[in-house]
Amino acid sequence: LLKFTPFHACTTQMSLTAVVLGSTGAVGTAVVSSLVSNPSWSEIYVVVRKAPSVPHPSPKVKAIVIPMPSAGCEASELSTLTSTLKPQLPAKSSATFCLLGVGRPSKGTASNLKHVDVDLSLSLISAAPASHLSLLTAIGAARDVPEPVASSLSPLPFARAGGPLYNYCKGALESLCLSLPFSTCSFFQPATLIGTPNTPASFAWLAPRLDWMLPFDYRSSDVGTLAAAMVKDAEAKVNGGGEKDKVIKGEELHQLYKSV
């Protein structure tokens, strides 16, 4: 008699690799946790500026320690960063996740914002080639617009979240990433993030309670749910392809949340 092996017994688990930039922030930490808990992802490279005091408990996670140039650095320092980091990462991973950002409002100067959210981010992303790029920006990211000039008439802080320079930097990085050799790119544009110390506690309490009356574009996002959505989307893009330039925001983003 012929003996047939069930199909599920013949299949092998996918083995995907990820590079995570900005892994120590709230969203970055959640992305790493989501990758670790997903058996499809076997290797996770986290790029950090200093060695963690306690190694990550998962053997999947490999820390790559590299000094980061500060704002005001020469362009050559950013080029050196890229050329130094690139050999330490896979020649081509499955996905690169970039969650970098200035973060704390106290660091939100114009020069620091442009350095971290555009120049440094682009240099690190350029060193981490992959099939897919998953980039966290923000609602309001403005592409193909001239760099704004600070004005006392602006109702929003110039370099803070939601301000003119902030939106310009987020859009500029999206545009620059499209020139890099990723097969697919997903640009996540959430509004208020819940679960990060950068969001004031009072606003983090209030925002979810106002979501019902706001357009989807401006509804809040839990960092853990956002991270899980980014990982799910990346896995789908690596396995099934998709658009080179995909912006995920508003209703589409919140529908994705329901699937994780």
Side-chain angles (χ1 to χ4, degrees):
L1 294 176
L2 294 176
K3 183 177 181 180
F4 294 96
T5 303
F7 176 75
H8 63 80
C10 299
T11 57
T12 56
Q13 183 65 54
M14 290 181 292
S15 183
L16 304 178
T17 57
V19 174
V20 183
L21 309 171
S23 62
T24 58
V27 181
T29 300
V31 164
V32 172
S33 295
S34 186
L35 290 166
V36 166
S37 64
N38 186 327
S40 296
W41 300 86
S42 60
E43 291 184 302
I44 305 156
Y45 294 81
V46 296
V47 178
V48 293
R49 66 174 69 241
K50 59 182 180 179
S53 55
V54 179
H56 197 282
S58 172
K60 289 183 179 184
V61 179
K62 300 171 176 61
I64 306 298
V65 181
I66 190 164
M68 307 279 182
S70 302
C73 67
E74 298 291 335
S76 59
E77 294 181 64
L78 292 168
S79 297
T80 299
L81 170 65
T82 301
S83 59
T84 303
L85 175 60
K86 195 168 186 176
Q88 301 182 59
L89 296 174
K92 187 175 184 179
S93 62
S94 304
T96 294
F97 296 84
C98 183
L99 306 316
L100 281 169
V102 167
R104 283 179 289 174
S106 60
K107 292 186 176 181
T109 64
S111 61
N112 207 38
L113 179 65
K114 288 188 285 186
H115 171 70
V116 174
D117 286 43
V118 183
D119 299 336
L120 182 61
S121 292
L122 184 64
S123 298
L124 292 170
I125 292 169
S126 298
S131 296
H132 177 71
L133 172 65
S134 185
L135 176 66
L136 177 63
T137 61
I139 196 66
R143 297 187 195 176
D144 304 319
V145 297
E147 182 175 339
V149 178
S151 170
S152 59
L153 300 178
S154 175
L156 294 171
F158 184 62
R160 301 291 178 89
L165 185 63
Y166 180 90
N167 290 340
Y168 164 80
C169 289
K170 297 300 185 184
L173 182 59
E174 289 184 357
S175 296
L176 290 166
C177 285
L178 289 173
S179 66
L180 299 177
F182 294 99
S183 299
T184 56
C185 298
S186 292
F187 302 111
F188 282 77
Q189 296 184 356
T192 303
L193 295 179
I194 307 300
T196 165
N198 301 319
T199 301
S202 57
F203 197 63
W205 178 87
L206 181 62
R209 291 165 172 80
L210 298 178
D211 280 345
W212 66 273
M213 62 186 294
L214 295 175
F216 277 103
D217 278 4
Y218 300 102
R219 295 184 184 182
S220 61
S221 293
D222 171 77
V223 294
T225 307
L226 171 60
M230 294 181 79
V231 170
K232 179 174 183 176
D233 172 75
E235 186 173 337
K237 297 294 171 53
V238 170
N239 292 320
E243 300 173 44
K244 170 71 173 183
D245 180 6
K246 177 64 176 176
V247 173
I248 301 177
K249 64 177 183 177
E251 186 171 5
E252 181 177 9
L253 178 59
H254 286 269
Q255 287 297 325
L256 182 57
Y257 290 162
K258 293 179 179 179
S259 69
V260 298

